[in-house]
Amino acid sequence: MRIGIDARELVGHATGVGRYLGGMLEEWARTAETCGHEFVLYALEALPHPPQSPRFATHVIPGPAGTWWEQVKLPKAIAADCLDVFFSPAYTAPLRVSLPTVVAIHDISFVAHPEWFTVREGMRRRWLTAQSARAARQVITISEFTRGELMDRLDVPAERIAVIPPGINRMPLIEGERTGGVLYVGSIFNRRRVPDLIQAFAPLARTHPTLSLDLVGDNRSHPHQDLLGLIAIERLEGQARWRSYVSDDTLQQLYSRARAFAFLSEYEGLGLTPLEALAAGVPVVVLDTPVARESCGAAALYVLPGDLAGLTAALNMLLFDEAARARLLQEVPAVLARFDWVTAARQTLDVLTTAGASGTD
């Protein structure tokens, strides 16, 4: 079977969807289960780290990585490549194609909370995602929470939704004492309440002058949140640092040194970086939401939105209470057992081959 894949998210700085697709491709390239299939990866330019397997080819289609590329240029290339099925891992798929499509929709924050997006961007995302879900032979999502959202808000039938939790990227840790402080990793959206984290960290910083707060993620907030300005207001310039992107080596160092991880998101499809932190042996604090409970279970501390005093107390516990840290970390293996790339890749391939075998009827 010939499987086409939108691989735009692998170009440039790979974030959530890029890491999701990268993990999937790495497992497909490694396993013998894909020997009977060929994969065509469509991207704007040559991939920096293409799968090392003759079963994978890259079709470069130059141009801006927007809706025109996806809906006009990509379908022409698909039509010429004699594919059996097409996989879109990032919310939307080309609508004018004659073959079965499978689309991965990780969350629908743009439907549930349109106020977090510009008017134009929100309308584009809502329309294209709804049309892609309606046209797809199958929709893949990463949590039971988002499955419910797709059914309730986009009217996607339950039988067309496959819940497949992704694997967790586990990086080798650098041995040594955990001399760091609090870490946040992820694109910065308003729903992730990074200003709350800065403000809750401030009282701890004043009593522990060597304590650090590292924020890693591109600032995509709307309305814009001035993180550096808030750091200055709280007089944290020497202890809090925000970087929009770091290399994998630097990220490895941050995870290896951190003593606590905070991810205060009001709305996620799953929330991968808290799970990455747990895999790195870093205890986490998250907002008390249904999807956070689904993903992190008993391995996290939970705080309510806006409870800065409660957040400060939780951070203090994760940083300095060794018994509490050990109690949380002993729950990690049971939590992470659900997030395995071997299983995720096999189940996703099953969805794709079933959709491809169904033809265009």
Side-chain angles (χ1 to χ4, degrees):
M1 183 170 290
R2 284 175 60 81
I3 301 171
I5 301 173
D6 183 343
R8 283 176 291 172
E9 295 289 337
L10 297 178
V11 175
H13 297 326
T15 54
V17 175
R19 295 170 79 86
Y20 163 82
L21 179 57
M24 202 75 69
L25 294 178
E26 183 177 342
E27 182 58 32
W28 285 338
R30 187 196 64 79
T31 181
E33 292 183 21
T34 61
C35 286
H37 306 292
E38 298 176 4
F39 299 83
V40 182
L41 309 179
Y42 295 85
L44 312 167
E45 58 189 67
L47 300 179
H49 304 290
Q52 298 303 303
S53 169
R55 299 191 300 276
F56 291 78
T58 301
H59 189 149
V60 175
I61 310 172
T67 302
W68 178 263
W69 186 93
E70 177 187 70
Q71 299 300 327
V72 177
K73 300 188 75 172
L74 180 57
K76 293 178 181 178
I78 290 173
D81 283 341
C82 299
L83 303 176
D84 296 295
V85 65
F86 191 82
F87 178 42
S88 293
Y91 300 90
T92 62
L95 300 176
R96 295 184 177 180
V97 293
S98 60
L99 77 169
T101 61
V102 174
V103 61
I105 302 177
H106 307 272
D107 70 80
I108 51 170
S109 54
F110 39 87
V111 177
H113 292 278
E115 69 275 13
W116 291 338
F117 300 83
T118 64
V119 173
R120 181 176 179 179
E121 178 65 4
M123 290 179 62
R124 183 191 71 84
R125 285 174 176 260
R126 287 189 292 274
W127 188 85
L128 268 180
T129 302
Q131 294 300 316
S132 298
R134 186 171 296 116
R137 196 61 53 91
Q138 195 81 6
V139 175
I140 293 174
T141 195
I142 56 179
S143 67
E144 290 294 340
F145 171 78
T146 302
R147 178 178 182 270
E149 290 280 89
L150 289 167
M151 293 168 61
D152 294 341
R153 296 181 184 272
L154 293 187
D155 295 322
V156 182
E159 63 272 14
R160 288 205 295 114
I161 304 173
V163 177
I164 304 176
I168 300 302
N169 298 313
R170 305 181 188 225
M171 59 186 67
L173 299 179
I174 300 170
E175 293 187 6
E177 292 187 17
R178 289 192 175 272
T179 57
V182 181
L183 176 62
Y184 165 92
V185 178
S187 297
I188 295 171
F189 301 111
N190 301 65
R191 68 179 187 261
R192 292 178 176 171
R193 292 178 168 259
V194 175
D196 284 7
L197 174 57
I198 294 170
Q199 291 177 292
F201 173 78
L204 297 174
R206 286 190 279 272
T207 56
H208 301 276
T210 62
L211 196 61
S212 64
L213 170 63
D214 282 286
L215 309 170
V216 178
D218 188 31
N219 191 343
R220 303 179 185 179
S221 56
H222 174 79
H224 180 74
Q225 295 174 332
D226 183 4
L227 303 182
L228 294 179
L230 182 56
I231 287 172
I233 290 171
E234 296 290 345
R235 299 182 179 180
L236 295 172
E237 292 97 330
Q239 292 173 264
R241 177 168 52 176
W242 166 54
R243 286 168 284 184
S244 61
Y245 179 80
V246 298
S247 67
D248 285 347
D249 287 343
T250 300
L251 190 61
Q252 178 186 19
Q253 294 171 16
L254 290 171
Y255 273 125
S256 297
R257 293 194 310 109
R259 291 187 59 81
F261 188 93
F263 194 78
L264 309 173
S265 184
E266 299 176 46
Y267 186 100
E268 293 293 323
L270 183 66
L272 292 178
T273 57
L275 295 169
E276 289 182 358
L278 292 178
V282 187
V284 305
V285 55
V286 292
L287 284 195
D288 196 350
T289 64
V291 75
R293 293 278 182 179
E294 178 184 342
S295 60
C296 294
L301 292 182
Y302 296 88
V303 295
L304 295 175
D307 182 5
L308 297 187
L311 177 55
T312 299
L315 291 173
N316 186 71
M317 181 180 294
L318 295 183
L319 289 166
F320 304 115
D321 187 334
E322 295 297 339
R325 289 170 55 83
R327 189 164 56 249
L328 290 168
L329 291 176
Q330 73 179 5
E331 302 290 342
V332 169
V335 167
L336 295 185
R338 297 177 49 236
F339 303 98
D340 173 66
W341 278 124
V342 174
T343 302
R346 183 181 66 250
Q347 292 179 349
T348 302
L349 185 64
D350 287 345
V351 170
L352 293 172
T353 54
T354 300
S358 66
T360 57
D361 55 310

